[in-house]
Amino acid sequence: MFPARGLANAGPRLFCEPSAMHWQTTRYRIDLTRPRVMGIVNVTPDSFSDGGRYLAPSDAIARAESLVRDGADILDLGAESTRPGAVAPDTAEELSRLMPVLKAVLDLGVPVSVDTSNPEVMHAVLDAGADIVNDVRSLARPGALDMVARHPSAGLCLMHLRGEPATMQAVVPDYPDVVAEVRDFLRSRLDAALSAGIAPGRIVLDPGIGFAKTPAHNLSLLRRQRDLEVLGRPLLVGWSRKSTLGLLTGRPAAQRVAASVAAAVLAVHEGARIVRVHDVAETVDAVKLWTSAFGPHAGPG
Ligand code: HH2
């Protein structure tokens, strides 16, 4: 299980000069000195913004190929919608959605993340060569922590969530200080991962925009995003098409591109190293502007 993979497979795009800031994943050591764009592929019937569009493997693979052409640095495949009220697939269903797509997109030359909370699914996708486990439940399910810890190098994203996605917005979430709660939660999940033997360089952290949070909470997390830097790990942030942007603009999910791109750039400006997005081409262009002005090779003055 989990053959060790050399880093020689890594595509040149993600292999820049050595630097202090990297994300170790199964096949790739991702340089985070410039911000990275993670493109979303939802192999689901019910995702909040694109449910049903990529449920057929051929459609999901074509979507992944098009996101890579658009400049995605990382792909994130998900087979369970976290939309409130969504019905979770069982293990067999989640795997039958994921595996044909995963096997094909592993050849696209970019790291492939799988968005799952199910330890049996983690086992299967890591065995098949997935580079990253992205778990919105922060490896809370029994066996999940050990499953990732057993792998020698897979990357891991731990995200803040209170409760369960299906019911998280049923009561208005209430935090005395949302940023402090997110920070403390992520610190405790980071500690659990480190104690299980997962090397720190494999881990990135995510404040969980829209997960059991009001628009005001999400905006506080953007304004004070730098408070999370004390955790010492890179931040991955996902604002793409989320309902806070709908509330602010009055637009349905498919028309939130401009707000999503603006949120991604603001998150990068406040220190995010990876942004998880649906609209890759637009975000890549915007992040290029940010990188030219503020990135490691930006001019003086
Ligand atoms: N958001 C969603 C799903 N997974 N993972 C991380 N790390 N961060 C996020 O913000 C995040 C996530 C929800 O977005 P989407 O995948 O488009 O919708 P759905 O869960 O309905 O498939």
Side-chain angles (χ1 to χ4, degrees):
M1 176 169 89
F2 307 149
R5 275 156 216 272
L7 297 176
N9 299 341
R13 181 170 0 176
L14 294 165
F15 256 93
C16 308
E17 306 97 45
S19 91
M21 193 166 271
H22 288 90
W23 188 10
Q24 180 64 55
T25 73
T26 301
R27 298 175 299 165
Y28 297 83
R29 188 162 173 259
I30 305 172
D31 179 353
L32 298 177
T33 53
R34 84 167 166 82
R36 300 291 168 171
V37 174
M38 175 185 256
I40 301 169
V41 181
N42 281 323
V43 196
T44 58
D46 52 359
S47 285
F48 78 91
S49 81
D50 53 6
R53 287 189 66 187
Y54 311 112
L55 188 55
S58 55
D59 291 338
I61 294 164
R63 171 71 174 164
E65 288 168 347
S66 123
L67 295 183
V68 171
R69 277 196 302 276
D70 287 346
D73 296 300
I74 305 169
L75 292 171
D76 189 38
L77 304 189
E80 176 191 352
S81 172
T82 56
R83 181 176 60 82
V87 177
D90 62 18
T91 302
E93 175 63 23
E94 193 173 345
L95 282 174
S96 81
R97 292 179 192 170
L98 282 172
M99 292 311 268
V101 182
L102 175 64
K103 285 183 177 145
V105 304
L106 281 170
D107 288 334
L108 294 182
V110 299
V112 180
S113 159
V114 177
D115 189 344
T116 185
S117 300
N118 180 328
E120 290 175 74
V121 173
M122 290 174 192
H123 183 148
V125 300
L126 289 175
D127 227 13
D131 295 290
I132 295 162
V133 169
N134 168 28
D135 185 1
V136 299
R137 296 177 182 82
S138 266
L139 303 184
R141 292 219 175 128
L145 197 55
D146 289 343
M147 188 55 65
V148 177
R150 238 185 283 159
H151 191 281
S153 59
L156 169 63
C157 177
L158 298 170
M159 196 197 80
H160 175 267
L161 164 66
R162 190 200 262 181
E164 268 296 309
T167 51
M168 65 191 173
Q169 305 288 111
V171 286
V172 179
D174 181 27
Y175 303 90
D177 178 343
V178 70
V179 181
E181 166 142 348
V182 167
R183 182 197 60 213
D184 294 349
F185 174 94
L186 290 176
R187 181 177 285 134
S188 80
R189 296 314 296 156
L190 175 62
D191 287 348
L194 297 175
S195 303
I198 301 172
R202 294 170 55 185
I203 306 170
V204 304
L205 304 173
D206 183 336
I209 299 302
F211 284 85
K213 297 173 187 84
T214 64
H217 294 140
N218 295 322
L219 294 171
S220 290
L221 282 162
L222 176 56
R223 258 193 315 276
R224 294 175 52 203
Q225 195 181 274
R226 287 196 181 273
D227 291 5
L228 302 177
E229 288 179 353
V230 295
L231 297 167
R233 293 305 312 147
L235 290 185
L236 184 157
V237 182
W239 276 87
S240 190
R241 301 188 186 176
K242 286 192 177 160
S243 61
T244 294
L245 304 179
L247 198 90
L248 295 176
T249 60
R251 295 184 186 280
Q255 292 172 20
R256 296 174 193 162
V257 182
S260 299
V261 171
V265 172
L266 287 167
V268 163
H269 200 67
E270 294 306 315
R273 305 317 293 165
I274 306 130
V275 283
R276 182 181 180 277
V277 307
H278 301 86
D279 303 293
V280 167
E282 296 83 349
T283 311
V284 165
D285 282 359
V287 168
K288 270 186 193 152
L289 169 62
W290 184 91
T291 306
S292 304
F294 300 104
H297 305 297

